[in-house]
Amino acid sequence: MKDFRSSAARGVTPYVCGEQPDDREYIKLNANENAYPPSPRALEAMRAQMEKLQYYPDLTSAGLRRAIADAHGIRPEQVYVGNGSDEVLAFSFLTFFAGKTLCAPDLTYSFYPCYAKLFGVDYREAPLREDFSVDVEALLGGEGDVILANPNAPTSLELSQGTIREMAERLNRQGRLLIVDEAYAAFGTGTAIPLIDAYPNVLVIRTFSKAHALAGLRIGYAVGQEALIEALNGVKDSINSYPLDRLAAAAAQAAIEDTAYLEQTVSLICQTRDRTAQRLAKLGMTVLPSRTNFLFATHPDVPARTLLQALREDGILVRHFSHPRLENYLRITVGTDEQMDRVVRGVERAIGRA
Ligand SMILES: *Cc1c(COP(=O)(O)O)cnc(C)c1O
């Protein structure tokens, strides 16, 4: 049969998400979703929009961009919003990297190489060090623009803001763009957002899916100097002028304005995270020092696949990657205390049996 696909479509290797099986009820700790529901104010704000669904949403998502700007002490003109940070990332790749060279750590968010392939980016991978930390020299030593997730996924490790600033400075002198994907920054110790004032080459990308517990609504954003934001808007308006619907924009605005709820849930998750890490370490696991809402862990004697299978039998889904350097690790989303009790007990049983 004739292959009707364009050459771009023939070249794609789609990203594979955490599975969502429905053969039974699972505790879902495989997609780094929030352990808690979103702010009640987000739900209220959505309800108010229900009356207006026959009308297109605001073209510029002005209310949401102002709320994001206020939350970070920047101006709305420095904020771009999109349908999940995955879409913001895709538009960023198209806007800034298509046909150019881009460097990224070899072990990072696996959507980056997908976009690179789709948009004809010359994508170069700098190996992480043996301990999974970012090798800044390897990352910056080549040519081209740079993208990195900070904290990184699936390693859960965070680079200091001092290091990010040095990277921004050096890349700026060389006329190279730096994108920092801060999907997990709310669970970490800092943000690169204050850098955008001084550095025209820095774009920070964030999501409402993790700390704000709105994965189901698909909202992400990018912040940077106006020239970068205008460039993104130019591409967006050539594809989809209204990437954010009324419900999503209203909920996201209410969620980011409800700082008390955000602080409370993030702090609960970080406490559960650190407690669970200690308990898994007591069981002999090596757990990387996480600055995210997930744990990246391995056991010296029990293979990750064995643990994965044992947890699955206990009704718990966690994430496993088949990359040779990752295959003996599990990425476990931090759920509620009760859910993490189940994880610890499941791991304990699996180790006992092994
Ligand atoms: C979850 C995640 C995203 C995607 O976020 P969405 O807004 O849900 O598309 C982007 N980058 C990293 C590193 C992530 O872990």
Side-chain angles (χ1 to χ4, degrees):
M1 210 175 88
K2 183 170 161 53
D3 187 346
F4 290 103
R5 293 175 303 169
S6 66
S7 57
R10 278 176 221 196
V12 298
T13 24
Y15 174 78
V16 186
C17 302
E19 56 177 344
Q20 309 203 7
D22 52 9
D23 57 324
R24 61 182 274 196
E25 278 280 326
Y26 284 100
I27 297 179
K28 207 169 164 298
L29 303 176
N30 67 345
N32 297 343
E33 291 147 329
N34 202 298
Y36 301 100
S39 158
R41 291 201 207 162
L43 305 181
E44 256 169 63
M46 280 171 76
R47 254 176 245 123
Q49 286 298 317
M50 301 275 233
E51 325 275 303
K52 303 177 189 162
L53 290 180
Q54 71 269 45
Y55 303 111
Y56 278 109
D58 172 31
L59 189 65
T60 64
S61 305
L64 173 56
R65 285 192 304 114
R66 165 148 304 282
I68 293 170
D70 287 348
H72 297 302
I74 57 176
R75 286 176 287 110
E77 296 76 32
Q78 298 172 314
V79 181
Y80 170 89
V81 294
N83 187 227
S85 68
D86 286 340
E87 192 211 56
V88 176
L89 283 162
F91 280 156
S92 301
F93 271 62
L94 183 55
T95 306
F96 303 113
F97 304 145
K100 293 160 68 183
T101 299
L102 176 67
C103 304
D106 63 340
L107 305 173
T108 186
Y109 190 38
S110 46
F111 232 133
Y112 305 154
C114 300
Y115 301 132
K117 201 143 192 209
L118 182 60
F119 298 128
V121 180
D122 169 21
Y123 187 76
R124 304 194 183 167
E125 299 185 332
L128 292 184
R129 294 202 195 88
E130 200 56 47
D131 64 359
F132 293 117
S133 62
V134 174
D135 184 341
V136 174
E137 244 354 273
L139 190 59
L140 269 54
E143 50 180 303
D145 299 323
V146 172
I147 186 165
L148 111 152
N150 194 43
N152 196 15
T155 64
S156 78
L157 301 178
E158 184 184 37
L159 271 186
S160 77
Q161 290 308 317
T163 303
I164 298 287
R165 175 182 286 273
E166 284 166 24
M167 291 174 65
E169 171 71 38
R170 185 165 148 195
L171 291 168
N172 191 38
R173 279 199 307 267
Q174 300 169 341
R176 300 161 71 189
L177 188 66
L178 172 65
I179 291 189
V180 188
D181 179 350
E182 290 194 339
Y184 301 103
F187 304 101
T189 60
T191 170
I193 290 175
L195 293 181
I196 68 163
D197 265 337
Y199 298 101
N201 64 323
V202 173
L203 188 74
V204 180
I205 296 182
R206 291 210 160 196
T207 176
F208 280 84
S209 297
K210 311 281 162 61
H212 299 87
L214 288 172
L217 282 181
R218 317 300 305 124
I219 311 126
Y221 59 100
V223 308
Q225 289 195 6
E226 273 175 73
L228 298 179
I229 301 307
E230 275 174 28
L232 278 169
N233 277 320
V235 168
K236 186 254 307 177
D237 288 335
S238 310
I239 295 180
N240 179 7
S241 300
Y242 305 98
L244 272 201
D245 63 68
R246 282 182 173 273
L247 303 182
Q253 179 174 343
I256 202 165
E257 285 171 353
D258 195 350
T259 49
Y261 186 87
L262 181 71
E263 278 166 27
Q264 193 192 349
T265 47
V266 164
S267 140
L268 275 176
I269 290 166
C270 291
Q271 289 169 35
T272 305
R273 172 191 72 196
D274 297 343
R275 258 199 313 267
T276 308
Q278 285 174 9
R279 293 173 71 189
L280 292 176
K282 276 204 192 110
L283 296 177
M285 294 193 85
T286 302
V287 187
L288 271 63
S290 171
R291 293 289 174 268
T292 62
N293 70 333
F294 61 87
L295 294 170
F296 194 58
T298 184
H299 193 281
D301 308 319
V302 189
R305 280 177 208 277
T306 307
L307 293 173
L308 179 77
Q309 194 47 40
L311 288 173
R312 202 189 162 100
E313 282 159 19
D314 286 344
I316 302 163
L317 297 176
V318 300
R319 190 84 200 259
H320 177 256
F321 300 89
S322 51
H323 186 287
R325 278 182 73 187
L326 304 177
E327 70 174 357
N328 210 26
Y329 283 80
L330 293 179
R331 192 196 71 185
I332 308 167
T333 304
V334 176
T336 61
D337 279 325
E338 296 74 48
Q339 291 173 331
M340 300 322 276
D341 278 344
R342 295 262 311 262
V343 169
V344 171
R345 271 184 275 136
V347 168
E348 205 166 16
R349 267 197 301 274
I351 294 173
R353 265 182 309 191

